[in-house]
Amino acid sequence: METLYHQTNKQIQEVQSLMGNLEKTDRQSVHLLENELQARIDQIFNQLERLEIVANKEPPNRRQNAKLRVDQLKYDVQHLRSALQIFQHRREAREAQDREREELMSRTFTTNDADTSIPIDETLQFNSSLHNAHRGMDDLLSSSSSILNGLRDQRSTLKGTHKKILDVANMLGLSNTVMRLIERRATQDKLIMIGGMLLTCIFMFLVIRYLG
């Protein structure tokens, strides 16, 4: 298990490093980088499925700790996937705004001898409203990203607390019944964390659907 665990952890770190290049990549190449990141994330998820199977086969005294380590990797890669999706939505919003601005700038206006009319005010007002809408979307997406970061920090805290409880339990030689209660609590914490992530993703989807 250790070999597969360290291999998966290394791949996650490589994806994290590549994510830092998204903002610096030019328009022509950013799509290629996004596709590469998505392919790597999919590969990591496949390895996590194998790793989860291996963790379940660990001896009872090491199984819980192995599951916690796999859950942490799974949470990290889910965070990376969410961050990539947020970047893609923001990029698509910027590109749509640029296209609409170019269409407005290239619009041809008709003229005649009696009257020459160019609806500058209407165009400026539309462009201003469009800009405000996209800026609001960026703010909401940034807030969603902050929420995901907060969930990740909470997960790390829960992991540390749970590990200390397991260490103390092993030192005191507590019964299997108590160990099962501790494992059940860990499962509840995991469900709460997953529920929070799902609510965040639903919120992001609604924002993108109705403000995008």
Side-chain angles (χ1 to χ4, degrees):
M1 174 180 172
E2 291 300 318
T3 301
L4 184 58
Y5 172 84
H6 290 296
Q7 180 183 1
T8 306
N9 189 42
K10 180 180 178 182
Q11 290 178 338
I12 291 176
Q13 293 176 356
E14 290 174 351
V15 171
Q16 288 175 333
S17 178
L18 286 175
M19 290 282 291
N21 296 331
L22 282 171
E23 294 290 350
K24 299 180 291 185
T25 305
D26 58 79
R27 280 190 174 186
Q28 288 72 23
S29 305
V30 69
H31 297 281
L32 297 176
L33 181 56
E34 288 175 357
N35 292 337
E36 180 182 354
L37 286 168
Q38 186 60 58
R40 290 191 179 216
I41 289 173
D42 292 340
Q43 182 182 4
I44 292 173
F45 271 113
N46 290 334
Q47 288 195 192
L48 284 174
E49 291 179 359
R50 294 170 50 201
L51 195 57
E52 197 166 15
I53 295 173
V54 174
N56 288 327
K57 295 180 180 179
E58 287 286 297
N61 61 331
R62 292 164 46 188
R63 187 177 304 155
Q64 183 61 36
N65 186 51
K67 288 182 178 180
L68 282 174
R69 296 171 71 191
V70 174
D71 287 343
Q72 183 62 45
L73 291 180
K74 188 180 298 185
Y75 183 81
D76 288 342
V77 73
Q78 286 173 342
H79 173 78
L80 289 174
R81 181 168 64 180
S82 297
L84 178 60
Q85 290 173 345
I86 289 173
F87 175 84
Q88 289 174 323
H89 289 312
R90 294 180 65 179
R91 174 186 55 75
E92 291 169 357
R94 287 196 299 266
E95 290 179 353
Q97 183 179 2
D98 291 341
R99 287 194 300 269
E100 290 163 357
R101 184 185 296 110
E102 290 176 359
E103 290 175 0
L104 287 173
M105 297 297 294
S106 61
R107 181 185 296 176
T108 57
F109 300 98
T110 59
T111 63
N112 51 55
D113 295 335
D115 182 34
T116 301
S117 177
I118 303 177
I120 296 297
D121 291 339
E122 180 184 351
T123 301
L124 291 176
Q125 183 179 3
F126 175 79
N127 191 38
S128 177
S129 299
L130 184 65
H131 176 73
N132 291 335
H134 285 296
R135 185 173 57 184
M137 183 186 297
D138 287 342
D139 292 340
L140 289 172
L141 289 174
S142 298
S143 299
S144 300
S145 180
S146 299
I147 292 173
L148 287 174
N149 288 331
L151 290 173
R152 183 180 182 182
D153 294 338
Q154 293 176 19
R155 175 63 178 172
S156 298
T157 301
L158 290 173
K159 176 190 173 185
T161 303
H162 190 267
K163 187 176 185 301
K164 290 179 181 179
I165 293 175
L166 289 177
D167 292 339
V168 173
N170 289 329
M171 290 175 60
L172 296 178
L174 297 180
S175 64
N176 291 333
T177 301
V178 177
M179 295 296 290
R180 285 196 296 270
L181 289 174
I182 294 174
E183 183 175 351
R184 185 182 304 171
R185 179 58 186 271
T187 302
Q188 293 174 352
D189 292 340
K190 178 180 177 182
L191 292 175
I192 292 172
M193 185 62 58
I194 293 174
M197 293 182 64
L198 288 175
L199 287 175
T200 302
C201 292
I202 292 172
F203 173 75
M204 291 168 53
F205 171 78
L206 293 175
V207 169
I208 294 168
R209 180 177 181 84
Y210 294 105
L211 295 182

Coordinates of all heavy atoms in Angstrom, one line a residue, residues 26-73:
D26 N -1.0 31.4 -21.8 CA -1.7 32.2 -22.7 C -3.0 31.5 -23.2 O -3.2 30.4 -23.0 CB -0.8 32.5 -23.9 CG -0.3 31.2 -24.6 OD1 -1.1 30.6 -25.4 OD2 0.8 30.8 -24.3
R27 N -3.9 32.3 -23.9 CA -5.2 31.8 -24.3 C -5.1 30.6 -25.2 O -5.9 29.7 -25.2 CB -5.9 32.9 -25.0 CG -6.6 33.9 -24.1 CD -7.5 34.8 -24.9 NE -8.3 35.7 -24.1 CZ -9.3 36.5 -24.6 NH1 -9.5 36.5 -25.9 NH2 -9.9 37.3 -23.8
Q28 N -4.1 30.6 -26.1 CA -4.0 29.5 -27.1 C -3.6 28.2 -26.4 O -3.9 27.1 -26.9 CB -2.9 29.9 -28.1 CG -3.3 30.9 -29.1 CD -3.4 32.3 -28.5 OE1 -2.7 32.6 -27.5 NE2 -4.1 33.3 -29.1
S29 N -2.9 28.3 -25.3 CA -2.4 27.0 -24.6 C -3.2 26.6 -23.4 O -3.0 25.5 -22.9 CB -0.9 27.2 -24.2 OG -0.2 27.6 -25.3
V30 N -4.0 27.5 -22.9 CA -4.7 27.2 -21.6 C -5.7 26.0 -21.7 O -5.8 25.2 -20.8 CB -5.5 28.5 -21.1 CG1 -6.7 28.8 -22.0 CG2 -5.9 28.3 -19.6
H31 N -6.3 25.9 -22.9 CA -7.2 24.7 -23.1 C -6.4 23.4 -23.0 O -6.9 22.4 -22.4 CB -7.9 24.8 -24.4 CG -8.8 26.0 -24.5 ND1 -10.0 26.1 -23.9 CD2 -8.6 27.2 -25.1 CE1 -10.6 27.3 -24.2 NE2 -9.7 28.0 -24.9
L32 N -5.2 23.4 -23.6 CA -4.4 22.2 -23.5 C -4.0 21.8 -22.1 O -4.1 20.7 -21.6 CB -3.2 22.3 -24.4 CG -3.4 22.5 -25.9 CD1 -2.1 22.8 -26.6 CD2 -4.1 21.3 -26.5
L33 N -3.7 22.9 -21.3 CA -3.3 22.6 -19.9 C -4.5 22.2 -19.1 O -4.4 21.3 -18.2 CB -2.7 23.9 -19.3 CG -2.3 23.9 -17.8 CD1 -1.2 22.8 -17.7 CD2 -1.7 25.2 -17.4
E34 N -5.7 22.7 -19.4 CA -6.9 22.3 -18.6 C -7.2 20.8 -18.9 O -7.5 20.0 -18.0 CB -8.1 23.1 -19.1 CG -8.0 24.6 -18.5 CD -9.2 25.4 -19.0 OE1 -10.0 24.9 -19.9 OE2 -9.3 26.6 -18.6
N35 N -7.0 20.4 -20.2 CA -7.3 19.0 -20.6 C -6.3 18.1 -19.9 O -6.6 17.0 -19.4 CB -7.2 18.9 -22.1 CG -8.3 19.6 -22.8 OD1 -9.4 19.8 -22.2 ND2 -8.2 19.9 -24.1
E36 N -5.0 18.5 -19.8 CA -4.0 17.7 -19.2 C -4.3 17.5 -17.7 O -4.2 16.4 -17.1 CB -2.6 18.3 -19.4 CG -1.5 17.5 -18.7 CD -0.1 18.2 -18.8 OE1 0.0 19.2 -19.5 OE2 0.8 17.7 -18.2
L37 N -4.7 18.6 -17.0 CA -5.0 18.6 -15.6 C -6.2 17.7 -15.4 O -6.2 16.9 -14.4 CB -5.3 20.0 -15.1 CG -4.1 20.9 -14.9 CD1 -4.5 22.3 -14.7 CD2 -3.2 20.4 -13.7
Q38 N -7.2 17.8 -16.2 CA -8.4 16.9 -16.1 C -8.0 15.5 -16.2 O -8.5 14.6 -15.5 CB -9.5 17.3 -17.1 CG -10.8 16.6 -16.9 CD -11.4 16.9 -15.5 OE1 -11.7 18.0 -15.2 NE2 -11.6 15.8 -14.8
A39 N -7.2 15.2 -17.2 CA -6.8 13.8 -17.4 C -6.0 13.2 -16.2 O -6.2 12.1 -15.8 CB -5.9 13.7 -18.7
R40 N -5.1 14.1 -15.7 CA -4.4 13.6 -14.5 C -5.3 13.4 -13.3 O -5.1 12.5 -12.5 CB -3.3 14.7 -14.1 CG -2.2 14.8 -15.2 CD -1.0 15.6 -14.6 NE 0.1 15.7 -15.6 CZ 1.4 15.7 -15.2 NH1 1.7 15.7 -13.9 NH2 2.3 15.8 -16.1
I41 N -6.2 14.3 -13.1 CA -7.2 14.2 -12.0 C -8.0 12.9 -12.1 O -8.2 12.1 -11.1 CB -8.1 15.4 -11.9 CG1 -7.3 16.6 -11.4 CG2 -9.2 15.1 -10.9 CD1 -8.0 17.9 -11.4
D42 N -8.4 12.6 -13.3 CA -9.2 11.3 -13.5 C -8.3 10.1 -13.2 O -8.8 9.1 -12.6 CB -9.7 11.3 -15.0 CG -10.7 12.3 -15.3 OD1 -11.4 12.8 -14.3 OD2 -10.9 12.6 -16.5
Q43 N -7.0 10.2 -13.6 CA -6.1 9.1 -13.3 C -5.9 8.9 -11.8 O -5.9 7.8 -11.3 CB -4.8 9.3 -14.0 CG -3.8 8.2 -13.8 CD -2.4 8.5 -14.5 OE1 -2.2 9.6 -15.0 NE2 -1.5 7.5 -14.4
I44 N -5.8 10.0 -11.1 CA -5.7 9.9 -9.6 C -6.9 9.3 -9.0 O -6.8 8.5 -8.1 CB -5.4 11.3 -9.1 CG1 -4.0 11.8 -9.5 CG2 -5.4 11.3 -7.5 CD1 -3.8 13.3 -9.2
F45 N -8.1 9.6 -9.5 CA -9.3 9.0 -8.9 C -9.3 7.5 -9.2 O -9.7 6.8 -8.3 CB -10.5 9.7 -9.5 CG -11.0 10.9 -8.8 CD1 -11.0 12.1 -9.4 CD2 -11.5 10.8 -7.5 CE1 -11.4 13.3 -8.7 CE2 -12.0 11.9 -6.9 CZ -11.9 13.1 -7.4
N46 N -8.8 7.1 -10.3 CA -8.8 5.6 -10.6 C -7.8 5.0 -9.6 O -8.1 3.9 -9.1 CB -8.3 5.4 -12.0 CG -9.4 5.8 -13.0 OD1 -10.6 5.8 -12.7 ND2 -9.0 6.1 -14.2
Q47 N -6.7 5.6 -9.3 CA -5.7 5.0 -8.4 C -6.3 5.0 -7.0 O -6.0 4.1 -6.2 CB -4.4 5.8 -8.4 CG -3.6 5.6 -9.7 CD -2.2 6.0 -9.6 OE1 -1.5 6.1 -10.6 NE2 -1.7 6.3 -8.4
L48 N -7.1 6.0 -6.6 CA -7.6 6.1 -5.3 C -8.6 4.9 -5.1 O -8.7 4.4 -4.0 CB -8.3 7.4 -5.1 CG -7.4 8.6 -4.8 CD1 -8.2 9.9 -4.8 CD2 -6.7 8.4 -3.5
E49 N -9.3 4.5 -6.1 CA -10.2 3.4 -6.0 C -9.4 2.1 -5.7 O -9.8 1.3 -4.8 CB -11.0 3.2 -7.3 CG -12.0 4.3 -7.6 CD -12.8 4.1 -8.9 OE1 -12.5 3.1 -9.6 OE2 -13.6 4.9 -9.2
R50 N -8.3 1.9 -6.3 CA -7.4 0.8 -6.0 C -6.8 0.9 -4.6 O -6.8 -0.1 -3.9 CB -6.3 0.7 -7.0 CG -6.7 0.4 -8.5 CD -5.5 0.6 -9.4 NE -4.3 -0.1 -9.0 CZ -3.1 0.3 -9.4 NH1 -2.9 1.3 -10.2 NH2 -2.1 -0.4 -8.9
L51 N -6.4 2.1 -4.3 CA -5.9 2.3 -2.9 C -6.9 2.1 -1.8 O -6.5 1.5 -0.8 CB -5.3 3.8 -2.8 CG -4.4 4.1 -1.7 CD1 -3.2 3.2 -1.7 CD2 -4.0 5.6 -1.8
E52 N -8.1 2.4 -2.1 CA -9.2 2.2 -1.1 C -9.4 0.7 -0.9 O -9.6 0.2 0.2 CB -10.5 2.8 -1.6 CG -11.5 3.0 -0.5 CD -12.6 3.9 -0.9 OE1 -12.8 4.2 -2.1 OE2 -13.4 4.4 0.0
I53 N -9.3 -0.1 -2.0 CA -9.4 -1.6 -1.9 C -8.3 -2.1 -1.0 O -8.5 -3.0 -0.2 CB -9.5 -2.2 -3.3 CG1 -10.8 -1.8 -4.0 CG2 -9.4 -3.7 -3.2 CD1 -10.8 -2.2 -5.5
V54 N -7.1 -1.7 -1.3 CA -5.9 -2.1 -0.6 C -6.0 -1.8 0.9 O -5.7 -2.6 1.8 CB -4.6 -1.5 -1.2 CG1 -3.4 -1.9 -0.3 CG2 -4.5 -2.0 -2.6
A55 N -6.5 -0.6 1.2 CA -6.6 -0.1 2.6 C -7.6 -1.0 3.4 O -7.4 -1.3 4.6 CB -7.1 1.3 2.6
N56 N -8.7 -1.5 2.7 CA -9.6 -2.3 3.4 C -9.1 -3.7 3.7 O -9.6 -4.5 4.5 CB -10.9 -2.5 2.5 CG -11.7 -1.2 2.5 OD1 -11.8 -0.5 3.5 ND2 -12.4 -0.9 1.4
K57 N -8.0 -4.1 3.0 CA -7.3 -5.4 3.3 C -6.2 -5.3 4.3 O -5.6 -6.3 4.6 CB -6.8 -5.9 2.0 CG -7.9 -6.2 0.9 CD -7.2 -6.8 -0.4 CE -8.3 -7.1 -1.4 NZ -7.7 -7.6 -2.7
E58 N -6.0 -4.1 4.9 CA -5.0 -3.9 5.9 C -5.4 -4.7 7.2 O -6.6 -4.9 7.4 CB -4.7 -2.5 6.2 CG -4.0 -1.7 5.1 CD -2.5 -2.0 5.0 OE1 -1.8 -1.8 6.0 OE2 -2.1 -2.6 4.0
P59 N -4.4 -5.0 8.0 CA -4.8 -5.7 9.3 C -5.7 -4.7 10.1 O -5.6 -3.5 10.0 CB -3.4 -5.8 10.0 CG -2.4 -5.9 8.9 CD -3.0 -5.0 7.8
P60 N -6.5 -5.3 11.0 CA -7.5 -4.4 11.8 C -6.8 -3.3 12.5 O -7.4 -2.2 12.6 CB -8.1 -5.5 12.7 CG -8.0 -6.8 12.0 CD -6.7 -6.7 11.2
N61 N -5.6 -3.5 13.1 CA -5.0 -2.5 13.9 C -4.4 -1.3 13.0 O -4.1 -0.3 13.6 CB -3.9 -3.1 14.8 CG -2.8 -3.7 13.9 OD1 -3.1 -4.2 12.8 ND2 -1.6 -3.7 14.4
R62 N -4.4 -1.5 11.7 CA -3.9 -0.5 10.8 C -4.9 0.0 9.8 O -4.7 1.0 9.1 CB -2.6 -1.0 10.1 CG -1.4 -1.3 11.0 CD -0.4 -2.1 10.3 NE -0.1 -1.7 8.9 CZ 0.7 -2.4 8.1 NH1 1.2 -3.6 8.5 NH2 0.9 -2.0 6.9
R63 N -6.0 -0.7 9.8 CA -7.0 -0.4 8.7 C -7.6 1.0 8.8 O -7.7 1.7 7.9 CB -8.1 -1.4 8.8 CG -9.1 -1.3 7.6 CD -10.1 -2.4 7.7 NE -9.5 -3.7 7.8 CZ -10.0 -4.8 8.3 NH1 -11.2 -4.8 8.9 NH2 -9.3 -6.0 8.3
Q64 N -7.9 1.4 10.1 CA -8.6 2.7 10.2 C -7.6 3.9 9.8 O -8.0 4.8 9.1 CB -9.0 2.9 11.7 CG -9.7 4.2 12.0 CD -11.0 4.3 11.2 OE1 -11.7 3.3 11.0 NE2 -11.4 5.5 10.7
N65 N -6.4 3.8 10.2 CA -5.4 4.8 9.8 C -5.2 4.8 8.3 O -5.1 5.9 7.7 CB -4.1 4.6 10.6 CG -3.1 5.7 10.3 OD1 -3.4 6.8 10.5 ND2 -1.9 5.3 9.9
A66 N -5.2 3.6 7.7 CA -5.0 3.6 6.2 C -6.2 4.2 5.5 O -6.0 5.0 4.6 CB -4.9 2.1 5.8
K67 N -7.4 4.0 6.1 CA -8.6 4.6 5.5 C -8.5 6.1 5.6 O -8.9 6.9 4.7 CB -9.9 4.1 6.1 CG -10.2 2.7 5.8 CD -11.5 2.2 6.4 CE -11.9 0.8 6.0 NZ -13.1 0.4 6.7
L68 N -8.1 6.6 6.7 CA -8.0 8.1 6.9 C -7.0 8.7 5.9 O -7.2 9.8 5.4 CB -7.5 8.4 8.4 CG -8.6 8.3 9.5 CD1 -7.9 8.4 10.8 CD2 -9.6 9.3 9.3
R69 N -5.9 8.0 5.7 CA -4.9 8.5 4.7 C -5.5 8.6 3.3 O -5.3 9.5 2.6 CB -3.7 7.7 4.8 CG -2.9 7.7 6.1 CD -1.8 6.7 6.2 NE -0.7 7.0 5.3 CZ 0.3 6.2 5.0 NH1 0.3 5.0 5.5 NH2 1.2 6.6 4.2
V70 N -6.2 7.5 3.0 CA -6.9 7.5 1.6 C -7.9 8.6 1.5 O -8.0 9.3 0.5 CB -7.5 6.1 1.4 CG1 -8.3 6.1 0.0 CG2 -6.4 5.1 1.3
D71 N -8.7 8.8 2.6 CA -9.7 9.8 2.6 C -9.1 11.2 2.4 O -9.7 12.1 1.7 CB -10.6 9.8 3.9 CG -11.5 8.6 3.9 OD1 -11.8 8.0 2.9 OD2 -12.0 8.3 5.0
Q72 N -8.0 11.4 3.0 CA -7.3 12.7 2.9 C -6.9 13.0 1.5 O -7.0 14.1 0.9 CB -6.1 12.8 3.8 CG -5.4 14.2 3.8 CD -6.3 15.3 4.3 OE1 -7.0 15.2 5.3 NE2 -6.2 16.4 3.6
L73 N -6.3 11.9 0.8 CA -5.9 12.1 -0.6 C -7.1 12.3 -1.5 O -7.1 13.2 -2.4 CB -5.2 10.8 -1.1 CG -3.8 10.5 -0.5 CD1 -3.3 9.2 -1.1 CD2 -2.8 11.7 -0.8

